[in-house]
Amino acid sequence: MTHPYSLAHLTCLSLSPPEVVSLAARTGYDFAGLRLLPASPGGEAYRLMDEPELLRETLARIRDTGIRIFDLEIIRVGEAFNTDDYKDFFEAGQKFGARAILVAGDDPDEGRLTASFARLCETARPYGLTCDLEFMPWTKVPDAKCALRIVHAADQPNGGVLVDAIHFGRSTTTLADIASIPRHMLHYAQICDAPGPTPTTVEGLIHTARIERLLPGEGVVDIAGLFGQLPADLPISVEIPTESRAHLGPDEWARRCLAAAKAVLG
């Protein structure tokens, strides 16, 4: 059994969605991911919902290359979350044939966050989309135990837990926590590596996660142990943003990322 691989938009965020699709095709990926909404206020994203020409170009590139879209980013569930605000996002995902939505949890009230996540899943399901809650140590879903608790309590067939190697390595999550996630709640995972030691500030954690990750096998994350607990056929999003190696260019970097991921995962 082998993993299908998707090129995460964060790995090449300076490229537009059509360019990401073409890059994935040139460098050997099966899928690509697209960032339609920013990870933080003012962050870089490509709102294809509001740009019909770019949307058409992206769809044409998908058709011409055969590259499929796997995940869409990013919906952040905060205190004032309202699923009605994302109808155009879901519709764009359906046009792409996307499979998953990356979800972050920002609401400090876990009960309300769980209810909002359940509503999100219910709303996204008719569009053929799963909702995958990513734990990140600086958010209100800081580890795998918390993510699993919320997804389990939401009790939605398209709800999932998203495991990102960097957040596994830099949270309190253990291999036993990963092993306890039911198979039906795992729709894909993200691979990368990170240097040690783990930063002690939120700013430090975010800096590495967003612009200075390492290739799998270069850092201190137990990649082999982590993916040994995950299904052997789980789709893998290769998410390795780096500013220090930008001189390599997007094609060379995308190839190196995929080669390193395959080497580590066998």
Side-chain angles (χ1 to χ4, degrees):
M1 302 178 78
T2 59
H3 299 281
Y5 291 90
S6 178
L7 176 62
H9 204 158
L10 186 58
T11 302
C12 49
L13 194 53
S14 64
L15 301 185
S16 69
E19 291 172 328
V20 173
V21 172
S22 292
L23 176 63
R26 289 196 304 271
T27 53
Y29 290 81
D30 305 292
F31 297 93
L34 297 178
R35 178 164 290 188
L36 306 187
L37 294 173
S40 58
E44 194 162 6
Y46 299 84
R47 289 188 58 92
L48 295 178
M49 308 82 75
D50 304 331
E51 300 185 47
E53 185 173 339
L54 191 58
L55 174 63
R56 285 193 295 271
E57 185 181 353
T58 304
L59 289 169
R61 205 71 62 94
I62 291 168
R63 183 183 62 250
D64 294 344
T65 63
I67 289 293
R68 294 162 289 171
I69 301 303
F70 195 93
D71 66 309
L72 304 176
E73 298 184 79
I74 174 175
I75 291 181
R76 306 199 71 100
V77 181
E79 298 177 42
F81 180 75
N82 185 344
T83 57
D84 293 341
D85 296 337
Y86 299 92
K87 185 175 184 293
D88 54 355
F89 181 97
F90 303 139
E91 290 174 347
Q94 188 175 47
K95 290 176 182 175
F96 294 136
R99 298 188 182 187
I101 300 170
L102 190 155
V103 183
D106 295 330
D107 192 338
D109 183 324
E110 187 170 309
R112 186 172 56 204
L113 174 55
T114 301
S116 294
F117 181 75
R119 288 195 300 274
L120 173 61
C121 291
E122 290 171 348
T123 308
R125 190 164 63 246
Y127 296 90
L129 294 161
T130 64
C131 298
D132 297 274
L133 184 60
E134 182 176 9
F135 60 90
M136 308 177 216
W138 63 86
T139 68
K140 301 305 179 183
V141 186
D143 54 44
K145 280 185 176 178
C146 181
L148 180 57
R149 187 169 62 243
I150 291 169
V151 174
H152 180 76
D155 193 24
Q156 296 297 315
N158 60 329
V161 175
L162 176 56
V163 179
D164 185 333
I166 192 171
H167 304 318
F168 160 75
R170 292 186 160 189
S171 67
T172 59
T173 300
T174 66
L175 290 175
D177 295 335
I178 299 298
S180 71
I181 303 172
R183 176 63 181 90
H184 72 274
M185 292 184 182
L186 292 166
H187 302 124
Y188 72 115
Q190 294 176 320
I191 194 168
C192 67
D193 212 331
T198 297
T200 57
T201 66
V202 169
E203 292 76 15
L205 290 168
I206 292 176
H207 174 82
T208 308
R210 292 188 179 164
I211 62 172
E212 282 301 346
R213 301 191 190 193
L214 300 177
L215 293 172
E218 288 185 338
V220 300
V221 178
D222 182 7
I223 302 291
L226 169 61
F227 285 90
Q229 300 299 326
L230 294 171
D233 61 345
L234 192 68
I236 303 298
S237 173
V238 181
E239 186 177 68
I240 316 176
T242 179
E243 287 192 350
S244 61
R245 302 187 198 182
H247 64 280
L248 293 172
D251 282 67
E252 178 62 21
W253 184 241
R255 288 191 184 95
R256 291 191 186 192
C257 290
L258 181 58
K262 288 183 173 181
V264 169
L265 299 183

